[in-house]
Amino acid sequence: MTKSSAMKKSSLHFDAAQTDIRERNAMSTRAQILQWCDETLQTAQFKDYAPNGLQVEGADEIRTIVTAVTASRAAINFAAACNAQMLLVHHGMFWKSEPPVITGWKKQRIAALLAHNINLAGYHLPLDAHPVLGNNAQLAQRLGWTQTAAFGEQNLLNIGTLPEDTRTLDALCARIEQTLGRKPVAVGNPKSSLHTVAWCTGGAQGYFQQAADAGADVYITGEISEAQYHLARETGTAFISAGHHATERYGVQALGNALAAKFGLAVRFFDEDNPA
């Protein structure tokens, strides 16, 4: 079964607008929350290079969750200050490409989690791809893009149409800057006419060729490398780097708000002024 066929968008109705839900008193267990996240995000469907789910064990009972893009020391400190029992993130603590030893900054982060009995849970590619709660879906919702298909590796690429008022590169960049609070890097003719948009949040600049091959007029992701400048110039497909952190702020907020609605928990979002 493919990801796209397995996930039923019509059965999910989550309000991602509220990002700071304080007045809750309910309690759930760690196991209940993780099971719901695993089932909702369908983590078993994904081949990932980071563990999805629990990464550091803390309290069994959860009343307050802090959500954040990354399990940084600042996010951990904020969770501790909120007396949270869980820190829920998109970028967790462990990656296949990193050394397995627990030293330095990693030791300090884990020590802080353990000292405050805070669970760390992370959801990477499953949170990118979810058709309602995912980073790709949430970014499109905020920018008014209409998705027509998901494609590419594990269906992480999306393609769709732009609203009429952002159908030039200049206008699209202005809307992105206004929405994300960060000036994007753009390569292409500022006055070029755009209609079809492809996108994948985060560090997905390597998918640019696939987006161009799929017929996109513009491809949007979070980062740019040297090669994308030349590909944009030579293929005629515009390229926009809108920020890794900036494009991935919204999925974890939507997931946190869904948990608040499901379990009646207090959920707060921690953001950082990350220029990357």
Side-chain angles (χ1 to χ4, degrees):
M1 182 182 293
T2 65
K3 273 186 348 182
S4 55
S5 63
M7 296 176 177
K8 303 299 184 182
K9 181 184 292 190
S10 61
S11 67
L12 297 164
H13 303 284
F14 300 125
D15 180 6
Q18 190 176 6
T19 61
D20 193 354
I21 304 172
R22 300 169 187 252
E23 296 180 3
R24 308 274 185 158
N25 295 306
M27 181 274 292
S28 295
T29 67
R30 176 182 60 245
Q32 288 173 320
I33 292 167
L34 294 174
Q35 181 180 359
W36 187 88
C37 287
D38 286 342
E39 292 175 353
T40 299
L41 299 178
Q42 300 197 7
T43 56
Q45 302 278 344
F46 291 83
K47 182 180 180 181
D48 210 335
Y49 39 93
N52 289 294
L54 186 66
Q55 295 190 4
V56 177
E57 184 177 300
D60 291 330
E61 297 181 349
I62 312 296
R63 290 183 172 83
T64 300
I65 295 175
V66 164
T67 61
V69 175
T70 298
S72 66
R73 184 63 186 273
I76 294 168
N77 290 345
F78 182 83
C82 293
N83 195 29
Q85 293 80 44
M86 178 174 284
L87 175 61
L88 179 65
V89 300
H90 178 50
H91 300 141
M93 196 86 73
F94 304 99
W95 303 91
K96 288 183 180 178
S97 60
E98 291 181 350
V101 296
I102 307 300
T103 59
W105 61 267
K106 188 173 289 187
K107 173 192 172 184
Q108 292 169 12
R109 290 185 190 179
I110 293 173
L113 288 165
L114 295 176
H116 295 281
N117 208 22
I118 298 172
N119 294 280
L120 173 64
Y123 292 93
H124 188 233
L125 296 184
L127 187 56
D128 285 321
H130 193 275
V132 176
L133 303 177
N135 286 316
N136 287 324
Q138 290 292 316
L139 184 67
Q141 176 183 309
R142 282 163 174 77
L143 290 165
W145 305 335
T146 301
Q147 185 204 46
T148 55
F151 67 105
E153 181 184 355
Q154 301 188 83
N155 283 344
L156 290 169
L157 275 162
N158 295 263
I159 196 163
T161 57
L162 295 165
E164 291 187 6
D165 60 349
T166 60
R167 289 188 177 176
T168 67
L169 190 58
D170 265 353
L172 179 56
C173 286
R175 175 68 58 80
I176 290 171
E177 182 175 4
Q178 179 185 38
T179 303
L180 303 187
R182 181 189 189 277
K183 186 176 180 63
V185 175
V187 183
N189 181 351
K191 304 302 179 185
S192 60
S193 178
L194 308 175
H195 180 270
T196 302
V197 57
W199 71 97
C200 182
T201 64
Q205 61 268 49
Y207 294 154
F208 184 29
Q209 184 67 62
Q210 294 179 58
D213 292 344
D217 299 315
V218 58
Y219 177 61
I220 300 168
T221 186
E223 298 185 12
I224 184 169
S225 299
E226 191 271 347
Q228 281 77 59
Y229 169 81
H230 302 289
L231 287 176
R233 300 270 293 182
E234 295 168 24
T235 63
T237 302
F239 183 96
I240 295 176
S241 167
H244 194 137
H245 179 89
T247 58
E248 296 196 324
R249 280 198 299 248
Y250 305 110
V252 75
Q253 292 183 61
L255 180 61
N257 292 337
L259 287 168
K262 172 69 176 179
F263 295 104
L265 304 170
V267 178
R268 297 189 65 182
F269 174 62
F270 173 74
D271 202 7
E272 297 184 66
D273 187 16
N274 187 339

